[in-house]
Amino acid sequence: MANKYVPTKILLEESELPKAWYNMNAVMPEKHDPALNPATLKPCTVDELKGPFCDELAAQEMNMTDEYIPIPDEIKDFYKMVRPSPLIRAHFLEKVLDTPAEIYYKFEGNNTSGSHKLNSAIAQAYYAKKQGLTSLTTETGAGQWGTALSMACAFLGLDLTVYMVKVSAQQKPFRKSVMETYGAKVIPSPSYTTEVGKRILAANPTTGGSLGCAVSEALETAMKTPNCKYVLGSVLDHVILHQSIIGLETKTALEKYGIEPDLLISCIGGGSNFGGFIAPFIKDKINGTAKYDILAVEPPSCPSLTRGKYAYDFGDTGKMTPLLKMYTLGNGFTPSANHAGGLRYHGMNPIVSKLYHDGYISVNSVEQTKVFDAAVMFAKSEGILPAPESSHTIRAVVDQALKCKETGEKKKIVFCLTGTGYFDLKAYEQYNNKTMTDYIPTDEDLAKGFATIPDIPQNK
Amino acid sequence: MANKYVPTKILLEESELPKAWYNMNAVMPEKHDPALNPATLKPCTVDELKGPFCDELAAQEMNMTDEYIPIPDEIKDFYKMVRPSPLIRAHFLEKVLDTPAEIYYKFEGNNTSGSHKLNSAIAQAYYAKKQGLTSLTTETGAGQWGTALSMACAFLGLDLTVYMVKVSAQQKPFRKSVMETYGAKVIPSPSYTTEVGKRILAANPTTGGSLGCAVSEALETAMKTPNCKYVLGSVLDHVILHQSIIGLETKTALEKYGIEPDLLISCIGGGSNFGGFIAPFIKDKINGTAKYDILAVEPPSCPSLTRGKYAYDFGDTGKMTPLLKMYTLGNGFTPSANHAGGLRYHGMNPIVSKLYHDGYISVNSVEQTKVFDAAVMFAKSEGILPAPESSHTIRAVVDQALKCKETGEKKKIVFCLTGTGYFDLKAYEQYNNKTMTDYIPTDEDLAKGFATIPDIPQNK
């Protein structure tokens, strides 16, 4: 295998498309603490989760036993249009860096949603449709998830209402246009369409909104609309489950060409791409047989893992969601508006949180001006304009490759390029005009967020 | 072969990437009339073309004999990052249309330039670099070519100045940002940076510009800048040559799975994607052995083929280019500003013009509101938001497929999906808001353009 010729762009056959998703919960040596019903502080039952969520998604969320969960044919047929996605050798980035490292990236941006979000969007819309629902609600921050779900709902004939963080809707008017072209109703959040939105606006009429606040509005609207459920694009375990297709394809491609990775890297916001990317690699890591390290990358402006607390917290500002045990900055935390990309969520997926807590993965944080230095270097050498979120990963990869240059190590670095930056050009303009700045919250800033973490016995 | 399973997304191996471009000029039964030097009205020599153009590109432009022209390794290495592009079976569009037709599309939009333009951009930048040039100039309308060339120049370390049609620069500010991120200097045209720009602005200070005018400015700047040449993304034969990679890959993919097309369709502006897409299919058409028809699609608002004159004309408003024998609306023709997409050029590539004139290809025109109906239908069923240009093709494909539904014909329709519409959302907004209108120039409107076709003996 060692001398097999490896093409620049490793493409899998349609027959190599995964037939089942990978469920990390089934192989965790110690399961993460269960979601709690905030009213009772007891573990949520599947039936309780079926309140806001689709039946099948609630069941997937609670599945702690099945390592593989079959992908329905209808979803596979959709995947076949856009997947398998390529694993690309970054020959030209390596050359620019003059590094002995080998760099590979799994490129998830080659679809109109511009990111990996479509992998879960189509699955969630499919289960909603199968259950006989006629509409869905969701929130979106950077806009990738909202676009992906709009596409999936248009494909399956479901109505969709998207609460889009107001500041993001203003900065990215065309994200709104794409979703509307796909037939979605897009409402800048906070809005006067919900009670929680009205409360937030009464308290702070000029707020630009936050993801936690948009979640609350979407949830409230789903609860009061007949035949409608709430879905979301990150944080929960079933989202990570669907995103495991990224890691499964990556693993197949690497094994096909006998490439043994030394390091797997991806950025982390709520955990959706990171969790999916590392999913099939985690078992060997847990068993101690893996030769590779796994690195998550986050922005210092929203440092959930690097500076957050491991505690039960709400997923939203309106305190309507189940309580999740996770690394959190507090449901009231809002990152500085000068932070360009996504990765703005206060919390973190429970599996990823547990893996970090138990030492299976490590985390770095990288500042946004340095992130954009790397983004432009990548765009020029590899031809793809990366999303700001993905560019955090690229920065970390570049730093690792430069370290290899110093040490002479021929590390094989594999990363997930989650998406493209075509709707993030305001941020690139700031970078080009040198008006982009970095922001690191002080301990006092963080203390305000931590104060919103619920004061419950489980957090003592 | 007939029963071989055909995947939804037909992917070629890296080893199936074409090793040579296909030169239609070598197989034309009758060559098109040569480009003329406007000063002498005699056929241009290669040396004369080397004035404004790179040496190798001038030589390719005049090559009437070599059917295959090898692709240099450096260009092949770049292609390997983004090519071969997929040929996708439009299963879901077929289902929506309930048609017995089989629809396949060659998707050229999966790169940051958002279109096929990168195929020629990297080739042109490569030859410029090889010749020792340090900078290039060009024009761009919709912005796809400017973006593609910015990427190619950034990759190879060349400086680039792009004259962008002013109205387009205003409508698509983020196109400008992408090019600037790749290091290009973008100047809305007409501008005060050139003599021709000053003249045009003196005559019409509020003009939104035109492609013909931007060509003149780019040419003038190239001529007065040391170590700099002018390049362009369509119209000339060497551009079609580079774009033949689209058709070559399409042909390989079809043959690999035993798919025999009945109809090849693509949109046409200056001819770059259309010419490249049909290039390797034209020989059998000329020989009379082809079972397929070839259809070009253009907007009625810029009807070069359907209503133009076959005559010698300038490629630019400033009358600085060689004279080309082509279908033209007159170098002074400017399509109505309400026309959303590209496909706004007054002329047409000479090979394509000749093929049309000699009856090897046919042409349809489709109105823009109907074009966007089809675009949204495609976006919802196939998941890709198409560029307005490509959507003209989709409209024609849908019409053909609906005709098959009536007749019961199981036609195999293959089309080129040239690009994505991520930077064209103003047009989609107009469509969504129902403020988009159609425009068909009157005979009087066209007469004004025709009056600008030069009055030379060859045009008598």
Side-chain angles (χ1 to χ4, degrees):
Chain A
M1 284 298 265
N3 290 323
K4 188 169 180 180
Y5 174 78
V6 181
T8 299
K9 192 165 66 154
I10 301 177
L11 296 166
L12 300 179
E13 304 282 332
E14 185 175 295
S15 57
E16 292 168 304
L17 196 71
K19 290 168 185 61
W21 293 301
Y22 191 84
N23 179 17
M24 279 193 284
N25 274 325
V27 297
M28 297 286 280
E30 202 180 287
K31 312 292 180 200
H32 64 71
D33 292 331
L36 301 182
N37 180 328
T40 63
L41 296 186
K42 295 219 170 104
C44 283
T45 64
V46 173
D47 281 344
E48 282 170 347
L49 277 187
K50 285 179 184 172
F53 299 114
C54 301
D55 293 356
E56 187 64 32
L57 298 172
Q60 288 179 351
E61 187 67 22
M62 303 289 272
N63 188 325
M64 297 286 148
T65 50
D66 298 323
E67 191 173 351
Y68 289 93
I69 296 181
I71 304 173
D73 284 344
E74 293 84 347
I75 299 174
K76 266 188 291 192
D77 285 344
F78 183 91
Y79 280 162
K80 284 173 190 170
M81 289 197 289
V82 289
R83 309 200 64 84
S85 68
L87 180 71
I88 304 173
R89 172 80 183 269
H91 282 299
F92 295 107
L93 178 64
E94 290 171 19
K95 205 170 152 190
V96 167
L97 294 172
D98 188 23
T99 176
E102 288 182 18
I103 303 172
Y104 300 84
Y105 56 98
K106 178 72 170 166
F107 182 34
E108 291 289 315
N110 264 352
N111 68 72
T112 286
S113 81
S115 81
H116 67 292
K117 294 289 186 185
L118 195 56
N119 298 330
S120 185
I122 187 62
Q124 297 196 43
Y126 166 78
Y127 289 120
K129 173 96 175 176
K130 200 179 154 202
Q131 189 182 332
L133 303 179
T134 52
S135 68
L136 292 172
T137 69
T138 198
E139 75 290 330
T140 199
Q144 296 175 332
W145 167 248
T147 309
L149 193 66
S150 302
M151 291 171 63
C153 286
F155 183 78
L156 292 166
L158 293 167
D159 289 335
L160 174 66
T161 302
V162 180
Y163 286 91
M164 184 171 190
V165 177
K166 192 180 277 172
V167 62
S168 183
Q170 288 162 348
Q171 283 170 356
K172 304 182 187 184
F174 293 146
R175 271 283 176 208
K176 188 162 172 282
S177 311
V178 187
M179 291 185 259
E180 286 171 347
T181 298
Y182 278 96
K185 184 172 169 191
V186 182
I187 301 173
S189 166
S191 74
Y192 290 101
T193 65
T194 62
E195 295 311 311
V196 63
K198 286 176 202 165
R199 276 205 305 278
I200 292 165
L201 283 168
N204 187 356
T206 59
T207 178
S210 73
L211 214 45
C213 158
V215 172
S216 299
E217 290 206 87
L219 250 176
E220 182 185 320
T221 300
M223 301 298 267
K224 69 189 181 195
T225 306
N227 238 352
C228 178
K229 295 281 175 183
Y230 164 71
V231 298
L232 79 175
S234 193
V235 185
L236 294 189
D237 291 1
H238 66 267
V239 181
I240 309 282
L241 173 74
H242 307 148
Q243 295 296 354
S244 69
I245 196 161
I246 305 173
L248 289 162
E249 286 182 9
T250 303
K251 198 157 183 276
T252 302
L254 292 173
E255 286 171 359
K256 192 171 176 178
Y257 289 94
I259 302 161
E260 296 184 356
D262 295 296
L263 186 56
L264 301 170
I265 307 187
S266 201
C267 64
I268 197 151
S272 76
N273 98 79
F274 179 81
F277 178 58
I278 68 165
F281 294 97
I282 211 67
K283 196 175 178 179
D284 285 350
K285 199 72 199 159
I286 289 169
N287 293 341
T289 56
K291 288 186 197 153
Y292 42 81
D293 292 318
I294 297 177
L295 179 64
V297 189
E298 69 180 11
S301 50
C302 191
S304 319
L305 287 183
T306 43
R307 296 171 71 194
K309 286 197 193 307
Y310 192 45
Y312 271 107
D313 195 7
F314 291 98
D316 68 326
T317 312
K319 301 178 196 283
M320 296 162 68
T321 67
L323 290 161
L324 300 176
K325 181 70 174 284
M326 59 185 176
Y327 278 86
T328 178
L329 298 164
N331 61 71
F333 179 84
T334 305
S336 163
N338 85 335
H339 172 55
L343 315 180
R344 299 169 66 92
Y345 188 65
H346 68 275
M348 181 57 60
N349 167 259
I351 305 175
V352 171
S353 292
K354 179 72 176 160
L355 287 170
Y356 177 60
H357 192 251
D358 292 350
Y360 294 113
I361 60 175
S362 50
V363 60
N364 262 7
S365 83
V366 287
E367 290 173 30
Q368 84 173 351
T369 51
K370 290 191 184 115
V371 162
F372 276 79
D373 288 343
V376 172
M377 179 195 285
F378 186 82
K380 290 183 177 178
S381 57
E382 292 292 317
I384 297 167
L385 188 81
E389 300 81 40
S390 323
S391 303
H392 287 73
T393 316
I394 296 171
R395 176 74 256 176
V397 168
V398 166
D399 290 343
Q400 291 282 339
L402 290 174
K403 213 180 278 177
C404 287
K405 188 178 172 184
E406 278 176 32
T407 62
E409 280 178 290
K410 295 184 181 180
K411 270 195 187 172
K412 293 187 173 68
I413 303 170
V414 183
F415 74 94
C416 180
L417 187 67
T418 56
T420 50
Y422 308 147
F423 292 97
D424 301 285
L425 282 155
K426 280 270 176 218
Y428 276 96
E429 280 175 7
Q430 284 181 347
Y431 174 78
N432 295 337
N433 301 339
K434 302 193 195 314
T435 55
M436 177 174 274
T437 55
D438 292 318
Y439 167 75
I440 299 178
T442 62
D443 287 343
E444 289 69 35
D445 294 332
L446 292 187
K448 285 180 209 159
F450 292 147
T452 63
I453 296 174
D455 183 24
I456 58 172
Q458 286 83 347
N459 279 345
K460 301 294 177 190
Chain B
M1 284 298 268
N3 290 323
K4 188 169 178 180
Y5 174 77
V6 181
T8 299
K9 192 165 67 155
I10 301 177
L11 295 166
L12 300 178
E13 303 281 332
E14 184 176 295
S15 57
E16 292 168 302
L17 195 71
K19 290 169 185 59
W21 293 301
Y22 191 83
N23 179 17
M24 280 192 284
N25 275 325
V27 298
M28 297 286 279
E30 203 179 286
K31 312 291 179 200
H32 65 70
D33 292 331
L36 301 182
N37 180 329
T40 62
L41 296 185
K42 296 221 171 102
C44 283
T45 62
V46 174
D47 281 343
E48 282 170 347
L49 278 186
K50 286 178 183 171
F53 299 115
C54 302
D55 293 356
E56 187 65 29
L57 298 172
Q60 289 179 350
E61 187 67 22
M62 304 290 271
N63 188 327
M64 297 285 147
T65 49
D66 298 323
E67 191 173 349
Y68 290 93
I69 295 182
I71 304 173
D73 285 343
E74 292 84 347
I75 299 175
K76 267 189 292 194
D77 285 344
F78 183 91
Y79 280 162
K80 284 174 191 169
M81 287 197 291
V82 289
R83 307 199 66 83
S85 68
L87 179 71
I88 304 174
R89 173 80 181 270
H91 282 298
F92 295 107
L93 178 64
E94 290 171 20
K95 206 170 152 190
V96 168
L97 295 171
D98 188 23
T99 176
E102 288 182 16
I103 304 172
Y104 301 83
Y105 56 99
K106 178 72 171 167
F107 183 34
E108 290 290 316
N110 264 352
N111 68 71
T112 286
S113 80
S115 81
H116 67 292
K117 294 289 186 185
L118 195 56
N119 298 330
S120 184
I122 187 63
Q124 297 196 42
Y126 166 78
Y127 290 119
K129 173 96 175 177
K130 199 179 156 203
Q131 189 181 329
L133 302 179
T134 52
S135 67
L136 293 173
T137 70
T138 198
E139 75 291 330
T140 199
Q144 295 175 333
W145 168 247
T147 309
L149 193 65
S150 300
M151 289 170 66
C153 285
F155 183 77
L156 292 165
L158 292 167
D159 289 336
L160 174 65
T161 301
V162 180
Y163 286 91
M164 184 171 190
V165 177
K166 194 182 277 173
V167 61
S168 183
Q170 287 161 350
Q171 283 170 356
K172 305 182 186 186
F174 293 145
R175 270 283 177 208
K176 189 163 171 282
S177 310
V178 187
M179 292 186 259
E180 286 171 347
T181 299
Y182 277 97
K185 184 175 170 188
V186 183
I187 302 174
S189 166
S191 74
Y192 290 101
T193 65
T194 63
E195 295 311 313
V196 64
K198 286 177 200 164
R199 277 205 304 277
I200 291 165
L201 283 168
N204 186 357
T206 60
T207 179
S210 73
L211 214 44
C213 158
V215 173
S216 299
E217 290 206 85
L219 251 175
E220 182 185 321
T221 300
M223 301 298 266
K224 69 189 182 195
T225 307
N227 237 350
C228 178
K229 296 281 175 184
Y230 164 71
V231 298
L232 82 176
S234 193
V235 185
L236 293 189
D237 291 1
H238 66 266
V239 181
I240 310 281
L241 173 74
H242 307 148
Q243 294 297 353
S244 69
I245 195 161
I246 305 173
L248 289 163
E249 287 182 8
T250 303
K251 199 156 184 276
T252 302
L254 292 172
E255 288 170 359
K256 191 170 175 178
Y257 289 94
I259 303 161
E260 294 184 357
D262 295 296
L263 187 56
L264 301 170
I265 307 187
S266 202
C267 64
I268 196 150
S272 76
N273 97 80
F274 179 81
F277 178 57
I278 68 165
F281 295 95
I282 210 67
K283 195 174 178 180
D284 285 350
K285 199 75 200 156
I286 289 168
N287 294 341
T289 56
K291 289 186 196 154
Y292 43 80
D293 292 318
I294 297 177
L295 179 64
V297 189
E298 69 180 11
S301 50
C302 191
S304 319
L305 286 182
T306 43
R307 297 173 71 195
K309 287 197 193 307
Y310 191 44
Y312 271 107
D313 195 8
F314 290 98
D316 67 327
T317 313
K319 301 179 196 284
M320 296 162 69
T321 67
L323 289 160
L324 301 176
K325 181 70 174 284
M326 59 184 177
Y327 279 86
T328 179
L329 297 164
N331 61 71
F333 179 84
T334 305
S336 162
N338 86 334
H339 173 57
L343 314 179
R344 300 170 64 92
Y345 188 65
H346 68 273
M348 182 56 61
N349 167 260
I351 305 176
V352 172
S353 293
K354 179 71 176 159
L355 287 169
Y356 177 61
H357 191 251
D358 292 351
Y360 294 113
I361 61 176
S362 50
V363 62
N364 263 7
S365 82
V366 287
E367 291 172 30
Q368 82 173 352
T369 52
K370 291 190 184 117
V371 162
F372 276 80
D373 288 343
V376 171
M377 180 196 285
F378 186 83
K380 289 183 176 177
S381 57
E382 291 292 317
I384 296 167
L385 188 83
E389 301 81 41
S390 323
S391 302
H392 287 73
T393 316
I394 296 171
R395 175 75 255 174
V397 168
V398 166
D399 290 343
Q400 291 283 339
L402 290 176
K403 213 180 279 174
C404 288
K405 187 180 173 180
E406 280 175 31
T407 63
E409 281 178 291
K410 295 184 181 178
K411 270 195 187 171
K412 292 186 173 69
I413 303 170
V414 183
F415 75 93
C416 180
L417 186 68
T418 55
T420 50
Y422 310 147
F423 291 98
D424 301 285
L425 282 156
K426 280 269 177 218
Y428 276 97
E429 281 175 8
Q430 282 181 350
Y431 174 78
N432 295 338
N433 301 339
K434 304 195 193 310
T435 56
M436 177 174 276
T437 55
D438 291 318
Y439 168 74
I440 299 178
T442 64
D443 288 344
E444 289 69 36
D445 293 334
L446 292 187
K448 283 180 210 158
F450 292 146
T452 62
I453 296 175
D455 182 24
I456 58 172
Q458 285 84 346
N459 279 347
K460 302 292 175 190

